[in-house]
Amino acid sequence: KGEGIRRHLTLVPVDTKPTLCSYLDLVLQQQAAKATNTARPVTSSGSPQQESLTTVFEKISSKDKEVAKEGFRLLFKYQQSHTDFSLDQYLQGRSPQFQEHVRKNLAKVNAQEEAKNR
């Protein structure tokens, strides 16, 4: 479905990438992330840490912007409290667009937190 639509849209001659293509990319990334989360083995027999990350990334993948924002805030706090956590390792195997989406929004949260602390 989605991948076929995206391939079909590449046949339309345009100068810039249409918003619809960007949206389809995001939706396909979210579907791939969900499939990866269900196929990814859980370490430490479903440890609270892994369950927490799964919940956070489910929120980040939400279509509801407020839920997604909350997910980014939780991920930021998680990174602050778990200094051994490697976001790069966790995002490994995800699409470059999803990785960029996560990093960009984490940077926004970081800027908001810094502004609060001033």
Side-chain angles (χ1 to χ4, degrees):
K1 291 179 179 179
E3 191 63 41
I5 292 170
R6 188 171 62 144
R7 277 194 304 269
H8 183 72
L9 284 174
T10 62
L11 301 174
V12 178
V14 293
D15 293 334
T16 60
K17 187 175 182 178
T19 305
L20 180 60
C21 288
S22 299
Y23 177 74
L24 282 174
D25 288 341
L26 181 61
V27 169
L28 292 172
Q29 291 167 21
Q30 290 173 345
Q31 289 176 346
K34 286 180 183 177
T36 302
N37 280 342
T38 57
R40 183 176 297 205
V42 176
T43 57
S44 304
S45 303
S47 68
Q49 179 177 353
Q50 182 65 32
E51 290 175 17
S52 174
L53 281 175
T54 301
T55 302
V56 167
F57 276 92
E58 284 174 1
K59 287 184 177 198
I60 287 172
S61 299
S62 173
K63 293 179 182 180
D64 183 337
K65 287 185 179 186
E66 291 305 314
V67 173
K69 284 181 185 180
E70 178 63 21
F72 287 114
R73 284 190 290 270
L74 291 172
L75 181 58
F76 178 80
K77 289 178 182 178
Y78 186 88
Q79 280 185 304
Q80 299 299 310
S81 62
H82 296 83
T83 55
D84 61 330
F85 173 69
S86 170
L87 181 63
D88 291 332
Q89 185 178 1
Y90 196 81
L91 291 176
Q92 189 176 16
R94 309 285 171 101
S95 71
Q97 295 89 351
F98 182 74
Q99 292 178 25
E100 180 182 338
H101 174 68
V102 170
R103 288 190 179 100
K104 181 181 78 171
N105 282 287
L106 277 177
K108 284 182 184 178
V109 172
N110 187 29
Q112 290 169 351
E113 291 296 319
E114 285 179 359
K116 283 182 188 177
N117 294 332
R118 288 183 189 163

